[in-house]
Amino acid sequence: MLITTRPPWQIPYSEVTPEPVYLSRRAFMAGMAASVAGAGLLPGLATAAPVPRPGQSLPSTFVPEYSTREEQTPYEDATRYNNFYEFGTGKGDPARYAGEMTVEPWSVVVEGACGKPGTYALEDLLKPVEYQERVYRLRCVEAWSMVIPWIGVPLAEVLRRFEPGSNAKFVAFETLYDPEQMRGQRSLFSTIDWPYREGLRLDEAMNELSFLAVGLYGKTLPNQNGAPLRLVVPWKYGFKSIKSIVKIRFQEMRPVTTWESIAPNEYGFYANVNPEVDHPRWSQKRERRLPSGLLSPHWIETRKFNGYGEQVAHLYRGMDLSKFY
Ligand SMILES: Nc1nc2c(c(=O)[nH]1)N[C@H]1C(S)=C(S)[C@@H](COP(=O)(O)O)O[C@H]1N2
Ligand SMILES: [Mo]
């Protein structure tokens, strides 16, 4: 066996978990090996992944092929510097107020052009899958970025089980709408037509990188990061990675999405990270990698497709990427 000494930031989060968690992870893996492989979305079959409960450690398998070795953003920064306008527009508002949202029980409505529409309890939606850990870059359109170890499942695995129809060209997603729990939705100053909406072309959604996260840093998602279920699309600006999903819809027409409908000349539907196309109000050539002090900002070059071109560039062949679509 080859033993290498890696700096701490090169070790996946799942490998630095404390002993009790590690032991339960081993027990989990043993159970996995014994369970039925390839179970479909049918009631009564073996549960591979535990239902994510708030504050719980989640067993997962680290996927090195899809993980960056860059230094991970500290947990404190990733969970206290957030965009989640349902709880306010300040970066600290989500951490302060997202606790007012109840994430259990949770269900997701699946509708539109697919063979298995319905209302799925979160545990049924996740039932036949094993959690993976992937360390992705997250690049916000506001020109800051983080490196986050997510836990979740490939979006394609979940979508496939709903049997998308031949006229399903796009997938639309919606966040919870509940002004009683989400104070930003009660705000008179909000310009957003709630609920928050996002969408992908079906082939983008089925791409190997598209991920449905239920956790980060070895644990369930804190509410401010989009509990209990959020999208992670690492080659696109962060606003595409919609949080706290309650609806998935397969459709023929391109969905109307929140930021595109507010400012189509600033936030396009595709929103692929692209240093060659500036935002009308600022440059996209560089990004502030968090943590990054105001006095000594840590600027790095932004990469096309956020560095994921090898996996996704083929999706956009023939498209003029200098345009906001
Ligand atoms: N429902 C919802 N999802 C959302 C947002 C939001 O305001 N509401 N903000 C987006 C933006 S702009 C970014 S950069 C990421 C931030 O994710 P994080 O707070 O987990 O880092 O969430 C995205 N998902
Ligand atoms: Mo963002």
PDB file of all heavy atoms in Angstrom, residues 285-300:
ATOM      1  N   LYS A 285     -13.369  38.735 -14.058  1.00  0.00           N
ATOM      2  CA  LYS A 285     -12.057  38.126 -14.324  1.00  0.00           C
ATOM      3  C   LYS A 285     -11.426  37.521 -13.086  1.00  0.00           C
ATOM      4  O   LYS A 285     -10.634  36.598 -13.175  1.00  0.00           O
ATOM      5  CB  LYS A 285     -11.109  39.167 -14.912  1.00  0.00           C
ATOM      6  CG  LYS A 285     -11.477  39.554 -16.333  1.00  0.00           C
ATOM      7  CD  LYS A 285     -10.419  40.438 -16.967  1.00  0.00           C
ATOM      8  CE  LYS A 285     -10.777  40.735 -18.419  1.00  0.00           C
ATOM      9  NZ  LYS A 285     -12.155  41.267 -18.589  1.00  0.00           N
ATOM     10  N   ARG A 286     -11.772  38.071 -11.926  1.00  0.00           N
ATOM     11  CA  ARG A 286     -11.162  37.602 -10.683  1.00  0.00           C
ATOM     12  C   ARG A 286     -12.251  37.314  -9.663  1.00  0.00           C
ATOM     13  O   ARG A 286     -13.395  37.751  -9.808  1.00  0.00           O
ATOM     14  CB  ARG A 286     -10.233  38.681 -10.097  1.00  0.00           C
ATOM     15  CG  ARG A 286      -9.094  39.078 -10.999  1.00  0.00           C
ATOM     16  CD  ARG A 286      -8.131  39.996 -10.247  1.00  0.00           C
ATOM     17  NE  ARG A 286      -8.802  41.154  -9.652  1.00  0.00           N
ATOM     18  CZ  ARG A 286      -8.262  41.922  -8.692  1.00  0.00           C
ATOM     19  NH1 ARG A 286      -7.054  41.651  -8.232  1.00  0.00           N
ATOM     20  NH2 ARG A 286      -8.930  42.946  -8.206  1.00  0.00           N
ATOM     21  N   GLU A 287     -11.853  36.617  -8.609  1.00  0.00           N
ATOM     22  CA  GLU A 287     -12.800  36.344  -7.525  1.00  0.00           C
ATOM     23  C   GLU A 287     -12.070  36.400  -6.189  1.00  0.00           C
ATOM     24  O   GLU A 287     -10.861  36.160  -6.121  1.00  0.00           O
ATOM     25  CB  GLU A 287     -13.446  34.964  -7.711  1.00  0.00           C
ATOM     26  CG  GLU A 287     -12.444  33.811  -7.647  1.00  0.00           C
ATOM     27  CD  GLU A 287     -12.947  32.525  -8.293  1.00  0.00           C
ATOM     28  OE1 GLU A 287     -13.333  32.573  -9.484  1.00  0.00           O
ATOM     29  OE2 GLU A 287     -12.928  31.479  -7.615  1.00  0.00           O
ATOM     30  N   ARG A 288     -12.806  36.754  -5.158  1.00  0.00           N
ATOM     31  CA  ARG A 288     -12.271  36.807  -3.799  1.00  0.00           C
ATOM     32  C   ARG A 288     -12.520  35.445  -3.167  1.00  0.00           C
ATOM     33  O   ARG A 288     -13.640  35.055  -2.936  1.00  0.00           O
ATOM     34  CB  ARG A 288     -13.023  37.887  -3.009  1.00  0.00           C
ATOM     35  CG  ARG A 288     -12.209  38.789  -2.176  1.00  0.00           C
ATOM     36  CD  ARG A 288     -13.005  40.029  -1.737  1.00  0.00           C
ATOM     37  NE  ARG A 288     -14.454  39.904  -1.775  1.00  0.00           N
ATOM     38  CZ  ARG A 288     -15.217  39.509  -0.748  1.00  0.00           C
ATOM     39  NH1 ARG A 288     -14.679  39.186   0.406  1.00  0.00           N
ATOM     40  NH2 ARG A 288     -16.525  39.465  -0.867  1.00  0.00           N
ATOM     41  N   ARG A 289     -11.451  34.680  -2.919  1.00  0.00           N
ATOM     42  CA  ARG A 289     -11.598  33.357  -2.319  1.00  0.00           C
ATOM     43  C   ARG A 289     -11.696  33.500  -0.801  1.00  0.00           C
ATOM     44  O   ARG A 289     -10.792  34.010  -0.157  1.00  0.00           O
ATOM     45  CB  ARG A 289     -10.392  32.494  -2.725  1.00  0.00           C
ATOM     46  CG  ARG A 289     -10.301  31.111  -2.135  1.00  0.00           C
ATOM     47  CD  ARG A 289     -11.461  30.199  -2.436  1.00  0.00           C
ATOM     48  NE  ARG A 289     -11.814  29.923  -3.815  1.00  0.00           N
ATOM     49  CZ  ARG A 289     -11.244  28.995  -4.594  1.00  0.00           C
ATOM     50  NH1 ARG A 289     -10.258  28.254  -4.129  1.00  0.00           N
ATOM     51  NH2 ARG A 289     -11.670  28.788  -5.825  1.00  0.00           N
ATOM     52  N   LEU A 290     -12.826  33.045  -0.257  1.00  0.00           N
ATOM     53  CA  LEU A 290     -13.034  33.173   1.186  1.00  0.00           C
ATOM     54  C   LEU A 290     -12.295  32.065   1.938  1.00  0.00           C
ATOM     55  O   LEU A 290     -12.185  30.959   1.428  1.00  0.00           O
ATOM     56  CB  LEU A 290     -14.530  33.115   1.510  1.00  0.00           C
ATOM     57  CG  LEU A 290     -15.383  34.218   0.885  1.00  0.00           C
ATOM     58  CD1 LEU A 290     -16.834  34.059   1.324  1.00  0.00           C
ATOM     59  CD2 LEU A 290     -14.881  35.583   1.252  1.00  0.00           C
ATOM     60  N   PRO A 291     -11.791  32.308   3.156  1.00  0.00           N
ATOM     61  CA  PRO A 291     -11.899  33.569   3.875  1.00  0.00           C
ATOM     62  C   PRO A 291     -10.959  34.605   3.270  1.00  0.00           C
ATOM     63  O   PRO A 291      -9.876  34.275   2.814  1.00  0.00           O
ATOM     64  CB  PRO A 291     -11.470  33.204   5.300  1.00  0.00           C
ATOM     65  CG  PRO A 291     -10.588  32.012   5.134  1.00  0.00           C
ATOM     66  CD  PRO A 291     -11.063  31.286   3.920  1.00  0.00           C
ATOM     67  N   SER A 292     -11.398  35.845   3.277  1.00  0.00           N
ATOM     68  CA  SER A 292     -10.668  36.902   2.611  1.00  0.00           C
ATOM     69  C   SER A 292     -10.968  38.210   3.321  1.00  0.00           C
ATOM     70  O   SER A 292     -12.089  38.696   3.271  1.00  0.00           O
ATOM     71  CB  SER A 292     -11.124  36.946   1.155  1.00  0.00           C
ATOM     72  OG  SER A 292     -10.535  38.000   0.460  1.00  0.00           O
ATOM     73  N   GLY A 293      -9.989  38.714   4.043  1.00  0.00           N
ATOM     74  CA  GLY A 293     -10.211  39.944   4.807  1.00  0.00           C
ATOM     75  C   GLY A 293     -10.410  41.143   3.898  1.00  0.00           C
ATOM     76  O   GLY A 293      -9.970  41.140   2.747  1.00  0.00           O
ATOM     77  N   LEU A 294     -11.098  42.139   4.396  1.00  0.00           N
ATOM     78  CA  LEU A 294     -11.345  43.347   3.583  1.00  0.00           C
ATOM     79  C   LEU A 294     -10.042  44.089   3.316  1.00  0.00           C
ATOM     80  O   LEU A 294      -9.855  44.699   2.269  1.00  0.00           O
ATOM     81  CB  LEU A 294     -12.334  44.272   4.296  1.00  0.00           C
ATOM     82  CG  LEU A 294     -13.797  43.838   4.230  1.00  0.00           C
ATOM     83  CD1 LEU A 294     -14.678  44.788   5.021  1.00  0.00           C
ATOM     84  CD2 LEU A 294     -14.266  43.773   2.772  1.00  0.00           C
ATOM     85  N   LEU A 295      -9.119  44.017   4.297  1.00  0.00           N
ATOM     86  CA  LEU A 295      -7.857  44.749   4.146  1.00  0.00           C
ATOM     87  C   LEU A 295      -6.858  43.995   3.272  1.00  0.00           C
ATOM     88  O   LEU A 295      -6.045  44.599   2.590  1.00  0.00           O
ATOM     89  CB  LEU A 295      -7.246  45.039   5.526  1.00  0.00           C
ATOM     90  CG  LEU A 295      -8.085  45.988   6.391  1.00  0.00           C
ATOM     91  CD1 LEU A 295      -7.460  46.172   7.766  1.00  0.00           C
ATOM     92  CD2 LEU A 295      -8.233  47.350   5.699  1.00  0.00           C
ATOM     93  N   SER A 296      -6.919  42.686   3.315  1.00  0.00           N
ATOM     94  CA  SER A 296      -6.009  41.888   2.478  1.00  0.00           C
ATOM     95  C   SER A 296      -6.793  40.840   1.707  1.00  0.00           C
ATOM     96  O   SER A 296      -6.703  39.654   1.982  1.00  0.00           O
ATOM     97  CB  SER A 296      -4.953  41.210   3.354  1.00  0.00           C
ATOM     98  OG  SER A 296      -5.620  40.454   4.369  1.00  0.00           O
ATOM     99  N   PRO A 297      -7.609  41.296   0.742  1.00  0.00           N
ATOM    100  CA  PRO A 297      -8.443  40.341   0.003  1.00  0.00           C
ATOM    101  C   PRO A 297      -7.598  39.317  -0.749  1.00  0.00           C
ATOM    102  O   PRO A 297      -6.534  39.639  -1.265  1.00  0.00           O
ATOM    103  CB  PRO A 297      -9.239  41.225  -0.962  1.00  0.00           C
ATOM    104  CG  PRO A 297      -8.537  42.538  -1.003  1.00  0.00           C
ATOM    105  CD  PRO A 297      -7.785  42.670   0.279  1.00  0.00           C
ATOM    106  N   HIS A 298      -8.077  38.100  -0.763  1.00  0.00           N
ATOM    107  CA  HIS A 298      -7.385  37.009  -1.438  1.00  0.00           C
ATOM    108  C   HIS A 298      -7.998  36.834  -2.832  1.00  0.00           C
ATOM    109  O   HIS A 298      -8.984  36.124  -3.014  1.00  0.00           O
ATOM    110  CB  HIS A 298      -7.551  35.745  -0.581  1.00  0.00           C
ATOM    111  CG  HIS A 298      -6.948  34.512  -1.173  1.00  0.00           C
ATOM    112  ND1 HIS A 298      -7.324  33.236  -0.819  1.00  0.00           N
ATOM    113  CD2 HIS A 298      -5.988  34.345  -2.120  1.00  0.00           C
ATOM    114  CE1 HIS A 298      -6.621  32.351  -1.520  1.00  0.00           C
ATOM    115  NE2 HIS A 298      -5.813  33.003  -2.318  1.00  0.00           N
ATOM    116  N   TRP A 299      -7.403  37.542  -3.810  1.00  0.00           N
ATOM    117  CA  TRP A 299      -7.935  37.492  -5.175  1.00  0.00           C
ATOM    118  C   TRP A 299      -7.291  36.359  -5.952  1.00  0.00           C
ATOM    119  O   TRP A 299      -6.079  36.167  -5.893  1.00  0.00           O
ATOM    120  CB  TRP A 299      -7.657  38.806  -5.903  1.00  0.00           C
ATOM    121  CG  TRP A 299      -8.485  39.958  -5.419  1.00  0.00           C
ATOM    122  CD1 TRP A 299      -8.076  40.973  -4.597  1.00  0.00           C
ATOM    123  CD2 TRP A 299      -9.858  40.226  -5.732  1.00  0.00           C
ATOM    124  NE1 TRP A 299      -9.109  41.855  -4.378  1.00  0.00           N
ATOM    125  CE2 TRP A 299     -10.217  41.420  -5.057  1.00  0.00           C
ATOM    126  CE3 TRP A 299     -10.831  39.573  -6.514  1.00  0.00           C
ATOM    127  CZ2 TRP A 299     -11.501  41.979  -5.140  1.00  0.00           C
ATOM    128  CZ3 TRP A 299     -12.105  40.129  -6.591  1.00  0.00           C
ATOM    129  CH2 TRP A 299     -12.427  41.314  -5.911  1.00  0.00           C
ATOM    130  N   ILE A 300      -8.090  35.623  -6.695  1.00  0.00           N
ATOM    131  CA  ILE A 300      -7.541  34.630  -7.623  1.00  0.00           C
ATOM    132  C   ILE A 300      -8.238  34.808  -8.981  1.00  0.00           C
ATOM    133  O   ILE A 300      -9.285  35.434  -9.075  1.00  0.00           O
ATOM    134  CB  ILE A 300      -7.730  33.179  -7.116  1.00  0.00           C
ATOM    135  CG1 ILE A 300      -9.214  32.864  -6.895  1.00  0.00           C
ATOM    136  CG2 ILE A 300      -6.948  32.946  -5.819  1.00  0.00           C
ATOM    137  CD1 ILE A 300      -9.478  31.408  -6.564  1.00  0.00           C
TER     138      ILE A 300
END
